[in-house]
């Protein structure tokens, strides 16, 4: 009877829907939620699922260095306007030299020559005018080297800076070879005819551009290029056919390599994304529910 009486006196609980939200005691609410599993600690978003690359169908996506674009080796009016314009001028002067008479061309070469006599009278004019001719014409190896090297250099550091490198090698190597000739004539070691020796062309500027370009190339291409060009220039010097010009080529190549710190800084300014690695992207934590 006691058990039945106590059970009868126990109040019948109200339905949950009929109770107001504020009528739940805290302990009863906690007891109702005991069956819900809790999340412990921060939850990170799942990483995207990666699949193995399809080497059979698209191998060029994994080897970007092998995606050759041969048209970028040549100058274009929009991509490399400075090299394109300079190449057009050299092509015109070379075509003119191939059709003009020998007497006229000798007079033009003499007026543009950076010999000691002209350097003393009109240094700025002859230093610029001598770079408008290609010794040997369009079939000269330096003509092809000019197009390829100056195009690559302009794409990496800009047109104005590429021409500055070219002219630096052209001017400094010319002075480094002609000033000793003038001093040798002054002290009597060379005849006076050495003061009027023909000296024109773009070879000094091309050699300096090759040296500068090698500084922004990857090592696997930089050192073979320097070794090949250096070996060819030393071989010409050993042949002793034109020692002054051969020494000028070696000097201009050294000038180009000496410009590596400046050229690399220009390269970083021109294309910073090519040298600065991208920061890794980490998954942002999702706050716990």
């Amino acid at each position: 009877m006691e058990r039945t009486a106590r059970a009868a006196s126990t109040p019948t609980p109200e339905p949950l829907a009929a109770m107001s939200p504020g009528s739940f005691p805290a302990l009863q609410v906690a007891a109702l939620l005991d069956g819900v599993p809790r999340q412990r600690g921060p939850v990170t978003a799942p990483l995207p699922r990666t699949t193995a690359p399809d080497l059979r169908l698209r191998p060029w996506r994994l080897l970007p260095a092998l995606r050759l674009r041969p048209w970028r080796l040549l100058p274009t009016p929009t991509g490399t306007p400075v090299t394109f314009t300079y190449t057009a001028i050299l092509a015109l002067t070379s075509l003119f030299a191939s059709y003009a008479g020998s007497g006229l061309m000798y007079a033009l070469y003499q007026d543009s020559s950076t010999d000691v006599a002209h350097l003393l009278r009109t240094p700025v004019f002859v230093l610029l005018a001598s770079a408008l001719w290609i010794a040997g014409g369009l079939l000269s190896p330096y003509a092809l080297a000019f197009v390829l090297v100056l195009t690559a250099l302009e794409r990496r550091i800009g047109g104005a800076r590429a021409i500055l490198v070219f002219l630096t090698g052209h001017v400094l190597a010319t002075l480094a070879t002609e000033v000793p000739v003038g001093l040798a004539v002054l002290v009597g070691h060379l005849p006076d005819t050495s003061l009027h020796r023909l000296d024109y062309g773009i070879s000094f500027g091309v050699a300096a551009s090759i040296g500068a370009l090698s500084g922004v190339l990857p090592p696997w291409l930089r050192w073979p290029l320097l070794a090949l060009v250096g070996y060819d220039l030393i071989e010409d010097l050993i042949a002793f056919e034109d020692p002054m010009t051969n020494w000028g080529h070696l000097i201009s190549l050294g000038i180009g390599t000496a410009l590596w710190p400046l050229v690399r800084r220009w390269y970083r300014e021109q294309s910073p994304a090519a040298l600065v690695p991208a920061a890794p992207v980490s998954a942002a934590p999702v706050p716990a529910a």
Side-chain angles (χ1 to χ4, degrees):
M1 294 296 292
E2 183 180 359
R3 296 174 64 89
T4 306
R6 290 183 178 180
S9 64
T10 302
T12 304
E14 299 180 4
L16 292 178
M19 295 183 179
S20 61
S23 62
F24 283 101
L27 295 177
Q28 293 182 3
V29 173
L32 290 175
L33 297 179
D34 281 342
V36 180
R38 294 191 179 95
Q39 296 176 348
R40 302 182 181 274
V43 180
T44 57
L47 295 177
R49 184 178 181 181
T50 58
T51 58
D54 191 351
L55 299 177
R56 179 176 56 86
L57 297 179
R58 298 175 180 179
W60 57 87
R61 291 183 179 269
L62 296 180
L63 300 175
L66 298 181
R67 288 182 291 175
L68 299 179
R69 291 173 288 181
W71 59 89
R72 290 180 61 85
L73 299 177
L74 300 177
T76 59
T78 56
T80 54
V82 175
T83 304
F84 183 85
T85 303
Y86 198 176
T87 302
I89 294 174
L90 291 176
L92 292 176
T93 57
S94 298
L95 289 175
F96 177 81
S98 61
Y99 289 103
S102 58
L104 174 61
M105 290 312 304
Y106 179 81
L108 291 176
Y109 289 152
Q110 187 67 46
D111 292 338
S112 305
S113 175
T114 52
D115 53 53
V116 178
H118 284 89
L119 286 175
L120 291 176
R121 292 198 300 266
T122 56
V124 176
F125 172 77
V126 295
L127 284 171
L128 295 178
S130 62
L132 299 178
W133 308 99
I134 303 177
L138 291 175
L139 299 179
S140 170
Y142 284 99
L144 179 61
F146 170 86
V147 173
L148 298 179
V149 172
L150 212 65
T151 298
L153 192 60
E154 181 174 356
R155 291 191 185 278
R156 286 163 173 80
I157 65 174
R161 293 167 175 176
I163 287 297
L164 180 60
V165 170
F166 178 90
L167 291 177
T168 299
H170 175 72
V171 172
L172 294 183
T174 298
L175 296 177
T177 52
E178 292 294 344
V179 170
V181 171
L183 295 177
V185 172
L186 185 63
V187 298
H189 290 289
L190 289 175
D192 293 343
T193 55
S194 300
L195 299 176
H196 304 277
R197 176 184 176 276
L198 281 179
D199 187 14
Y200 64 92
I202 60 172
S203 58
F204 289 172
V206 171
S209 300
I210 293 174
L213 176 62
S214 62
V216 293
L217 293 177
W220 64 269
L221 186 57
R222 175 190 311 150
W223 302 117
L225 176 63
L226 285 177
L228 180 63
V229 175
Y231 174 80
D232 186 64
L233 296 182
I234 293 175
E235 190 177 31
D236 291 341
L237 183 61
I238 294 175
F240 211 73
E241 295 179 356
D242 191 356
M244 192 183 77
T245 301
N246 300 143
W247 273 114
H249 291 156
L250 284 174
I251 292 173
S252 57
L253 182 65
I255 292 172
T257 56
L259 293 175
W260 279 4
L262 185 60
V263 171
R264 286 172 174 171
R265 189 181 71 185
W266 288 343
Y267 180 48
R268 288 192 294 267
E269 295 174 358
Q270 187 77 10
S271 54
L275 296 181
V276 178
V281 178
S282 59
V286 177

